[in-house]
Amino acid sequence: MKIKGLFIITMLLLTVLPQMAGAQVERRYIRQGNRQFAKAYADTARVDSVLLRDAEASYRKALEEDPNNWDASFNLANALASQGRMEEAARQYQALGSKTDVEKEKRAAAYHNLGNCLLQSENLQGAVEAYKNALRNNPNDLETKYNLAWAQDKMKQQQNENQQNQDQNKQDQQQDQNQQQNQDQQQDQQQNQDQQKKDQQNQQSQENQQQQPQQSQQQQDENDQQMSKEDAMRILEALENDEKDVQDKVQKQKAQPQRRRTQKDW
């Protein structure tokens, strides 16, 4: 954005009065500063920062002679803005625009340049308000109208971007929340499954512990029953063997010849 009024040439009176000797000194400093400022921009390829600082120094000397000199203050603000010292320049323009004892055109120029400083500092709302103040003092300034429209359009774009960012942030937060809920649900399900599995294992272990004595008793009963059968078989076998021995003895006795007793004849 173009800075208005980089060179304010103070018109000298043709008739120089003795009491205006001080005024001539400050105007000489202002003219000197204007020449230095112009030379700083003489080379279109680069800006001479040394000459800009020299111009700043000249304007400050003029203000030492007359602290209320509006032209010296305005050109000093321009020199500061040209050096990129936007915050200092903005304070200077704000003070100049607030003066009520100067022409409206000058106040409008101060507010216009204030808007430019704030615009470069990304303070869009402040820039819009500064341009509006400039137009209140000079409603027909087309350059200020253009800058105001441009700042308002950029501010609208920024608001839309901010709204989109807010919506995107809300969407991201909702997605994160849903994802966290899904993770919590999965974790709860896994914990429930683990707990169920653990309960089943505990139940199975308890059942096994309960069944083991029963199985042992049943096995003992089966063993006792099996041993009783074996004893019975042995006893039966022994009886059969005894009976066989008796029969064998009987058969042997039958087979032997019997002696016949002879009677003596006494």
Side-chain angles (χ1 to χ4, degrees), residues 82-202:
S82 298
Q83 295 177 72
R85 294 154 65 180
M86 296 301 173
E87 187 175 352
E88 296 178 66
R91 288 197 298 268
Q92 191 82 359
Y93 288 131
Q94 181 68 57
L96 292 171
S98 301
K99 288 182 176 294
T100 58
D101 56 346
V102 296
E103 297 88 345
K104 286 187 174 183
E105 288 76 6
K106 288 185 175 182
R107 295 173 61 190
Y111 279 124
H112 177 96
N113 287 357
L114 172 62
N116 292 347
C117 287
L118 297 176
L119 193 63
Q120 292 186 36
S121 301
E122 299 296 328
N123 185 353
L124 298 179
Q125 183 63 46
V128 168
E129 187 60 32
Y131 291 137
K132 287 181 178 180
N133 285 331
L135 290 175
R136 291 186 182 101
N137 289 277
N138 187 7
N140 297 322
D141 191 332
L142 294 179
E143 186 177 352
T144 302
K145 290 181 179 180
Y146 172 82
N147 287 7
L148 174 61
W150 192 89
Q152 288 175 329
D153 183 67
K154 188 173 181 180
M155 185 171 64
K156 185 176 180 180
Q157 292 178 5
Q158 188 180 71
Q159 291 174 347
N160 292 336
E161 290 177 358
N162 291 338
Q163 185 62 42
Q164 291 176 358
N165 290 335
Q166 291 178 359
D167 295 340
Q168 184 64 41
N169 290 336
K170 290 181 179 179
Q171 184 177 358
D172 293 341
Q173 290 176 357
Q174 185 63 39
Q175 289 179 353
D176 292 341
Q177 184 177 0
N178 294 337
Q179 184 177 3
Q180 185 63 40
Q181 289 178 352
N182 292 333
Q183 291 178 354
D184 292 342
Q185 290 176 357
Q186 292 177 358
Q187 185 175 2
D188 292 341
Q189 291 176 356
Q190 184 64 39
Q191 289 178 350
N192 292 334
Q193 292 176 358
D194 293 341
Q195 186 63 39
Q196 290 177 358
K197 185 176 180 180
K198 184 177 181 180
D199 293 341
Q200 291 176 356
Q201 291 176 349
N202 292 336

Side-chain angles (χ1 to χ4, degrees), residues 215-234:
Q215 291 177 353
S216 299
Q217 184 64 37
Q218 183 178 0
Q219 184 68 31
Q220 182 66 34
D221 294 341
E222 291 178 354
N223 292 336
D224 293 343
Q225 185 177 2
Q226 184 177 1
M227 290 178 65
S228 298
K229 289 180 180 180
E230 291 176 353
D231 291 341
M233 291 296 293
R234 285 197 296 270

Side-chain angles (χ1 to χ4, degrees), residues 31-47:
R31 289 195 299 269
Q32 179 179 328
N34 290 345
R35 288 192 297 268
Q36 292 165 334
F37 198 102
K39 289 180 180 180
Y41 284 91
D43 187 352
T44 57
R46 56 180 293 274
V47 177

